[in-house]
Amino acid sequence: MRYLDEYRDGASAARYAANLRAIVTRPWTLMEVCGGQTHSIVRYGIDEMLPPQVTLIHGPGCPVCVTPVGTLDRAFRIARQPGVIFTSFGDMLRVPGTRDDLLHVRADGGDVRIVYSPLDAVAVAEKEPDRQVVFLAVGFETTAPANAMAVLLAAKKRLSNFSVLLSQVRVPPALEAILQAPGCRVQGFLAAGHVCTVMGTAEYGPLCAAYRVPVVVTGFEPLDLLQGITMAVRQLEEGRHEVEIQYRRSVRPEGNAHARAAIEEVFEVTDRDWRGLGGIPLSGFAVREKYAAFDAERRFPDNAPAAPEDPACQAGLVLQGRLRPQECPAFGNRCTPEHPLGAPMVSTEGACAAYHLYRRRAAALEPAGAA
């Protein structure tokens, strides 16, 4: 399959790994930003192909995982209200809040529906004019254009029964927060190709200059990642700290002008809380006053205090790259995909889910007595 099989070629991957071993002279630590990249790294054993001098740590690149518990609890309260149809992507249904998830809300009688696009939620609102339809709009900049288009479409159709509960976050401020954290070991980033397809790369240049770290925008297949790692290490070895694009088949420096215009029209930049990371200034989007009628936070006022997360869950340290999933005492026993303590174990882009799926299975298949 074009743009798939050729990026999973084993012989080419071995050549990239050999080239990397030839250029590295000292230890370097890189962080991949996207959860999709993390899953490819763990699934294909890319981290195990690297020379010992190169360390990969996993970043907070899973939007499901960084959605705050308070936002989820608020979503559950809205979904339980009479006359509400609550819509979301399927990967949000089992993400735990304080005591609940959307599947439990649905089992208790809430009208919770899976949609494949926020535009599907707008269509539901058209068909159900006597009920309020809420879409849980979660994601990085990648999903922001579609969420903005849903609001624009609802406004065009003059729907008074559609709103979005927004938990839309921005990547560059999160990377800066990681670099400012005490004890940060990150010396370079593999940035998410889909985010930069929308937003371009302009926001990463000042980050590179201020913190002297390279940022390489990569895709999600094994050869994308190996090439991106090689580009980042080469920069570090040469003392450079620039933005480079590996994922050129999708990313342009200017991004997608139409998508960015839709985001700018509907949303404004604001401070946001991140699950496991806390508050990060200017790290998210909020619905502009012009479209306040489509903001679920304003439509469903809620002053309930945010409850603390389960103290046994170490997801915050995993999302900061300070703890590998299998180093969490709850991993694989108290916390499993069937009974998750935190979002990284249940999200399709969560680091804990990746390790549980691929590394535990590999260990189970290892012959008895193997070294």
Side-chain angles (χ1 to χ4, degrees):
M1 184 182 295
R2 185 166 173 78
Y3 296 146
L4 187 60
D5 291 346
E6 64 265 45
Y7 288 94
R8 296 181 180 179
D9 179 68
S12 298
R15 286 194 293 271
Y16 271 116
N19 183 48
L20 187 57
R21 286 192 292 272
I23 67 173
V24 67
T25 64
R26 49 186 170 142
W28 301 111
T29 300
L30 306 176
M31 172 179 280
E32 85 275 1
V33 175
C34 175
Q37 293 170 331
T38 300
H39 271 251
S40 287
I41 287 167
V42 177
R43 177 182 180 184
Y44 294 104
I46 293 170
D47 52 338
E48 297 172 336
M49 298 178 66
L50 303 179
Q53 299 98 318
V54 180
T55 300
L56 291 181
I57 56 179
H58 313 310
C62 166
V64 173
C65 301
V66 301
T67 302
V69 171
T71 299
L72 293 169
D73 287 346
R74 184 173 195 163
F76 306 155
R77 289 191 290 270
I78 293 173
R80 290 182 184 279
Q81 292 192 26
V84 168
I85 300 173
F86 197 90
T87 62
S88 177
F89 296 137
D91 59 356
M92 292 301 301
L93 263 66
R94 296 189 57 248
V95 179
T98 305
R99 302 183 183 85
D100 235 338
D101 60 32
L102 285 171
L103 278 182
H104 281 95
V105 173
R106 186 160 70 177
D108 291 342
D111 193 345
V112 177
R113 304 184 189 182
I114 296 174
V115 293
Y116 295 96
S117 162
L119 302 182
D120 293 342
V122 176
V124 173
E126 278 193 283
K127 294 176 182 177
E128 301 273 1
D130 297 327
R131 302 179 67 187
Q132 288 293 326
V133 177
V134 181
F135 176 71
L136 179 55
V138 168
F140 292 118
E141 296 95 327
T142 317
T143 62
N147 293 334
M149 286 302 301
V151 171
L152 290 172
L153 182 60
K156 181 179 180 180
K157 292 178 176 291
R158 299 183 178 180
L159 298 178
S160 60
N161 65 326
F162 175 79
S163 59
V164 294
L165 181 61
L166 198 65
S167 184
Q168 198 89 61
V169 289
R170 302 174 59 238
V171 170
L175 302 191
E176 186 163 20
I178 288 169
L179 290 168
Q180 291 176 345
C184 174
R185 298 184 295 123
V186 178
Q187 296 165 291
F189 289 103
L190 305 180
H194 46 23
V195 169
C196 294
T197 298
V198 173
M199 302 301 293
T201 59
E203 291 183 282
Y204 296 95
L207 199 69
C208 294
Y211 296 93
R212 302 183 66 82
V213 295
V215 173
V216 179
V217 182
T218 67
F220 309 92
E221 296 299 327
L223 296 191
D224 289 324
L225 291 160
L226 284 165
Q227 185 180 22
I229 292 166
T230 302
M231 292 166 69
V233 169
R234 183 176 286 114
Q235 280 203 49
L236 290 166
E237 290 282 339
E238 296 174 357
R240 294 186 290 118
H241 38 87
E242 305 165 0
V243 180
E244 286 189 285
I245 302 173
Q246 178 278 329
Y247 199 40
R248 290 191 176 275
R249 62 189 187 275
S250 181
V251 176
R252 301 290 180 270
E254 66 276 13
N256 184 312
H258 295 292
R260 293 178 63 183
I263 295 171
E264 178 67 20
E265 169 66 18
V266 177
F267 303 137
E268 60 186 359
V269 173
T270 188
D271 301 342
R272 277 284 176 190
D273 287 334
W274 293 53
R275 188 171 190 166
L277 298 177
I280 301 177
L282 305 178
S283 67
F285 292 114
V287 178
R288 289 188 181 276
E289 183 66 32
K290 179 179 178 180
Y291 296 98
F294 304 98
D295 184 358
E297 288 194 21
R298 302 183 218 203
R299 181 165 291 181
F300 300 93
D302 188 337
N303 297 317
E309 298 187 45
D310 190 319
C313 180
Q314 301 295 310
L317 297 177
V318 173
L319 292 169
Q320 296 173 56
R322 295 168 57 190
L323 189 75
R324 291 193 179 274
Q326 72 272 31
E327 295 170 348
C328 174
F331 177 81
N333 46 73
R334 282 197 60 196
C335 183
T336 66
E338 293 75 25
H339 301 284
L341 292 180
M345 180 57 86
V346 69
S347 168
T348 55
E349 291 193 352
C352 297
Y355 274 77
H356 195 276
L357 176 60
Y358 300 118
R359 292 289 156 87
R360 282 173 62 90
R361 183 168 64 184
L365 294 174
E366 188 174 278

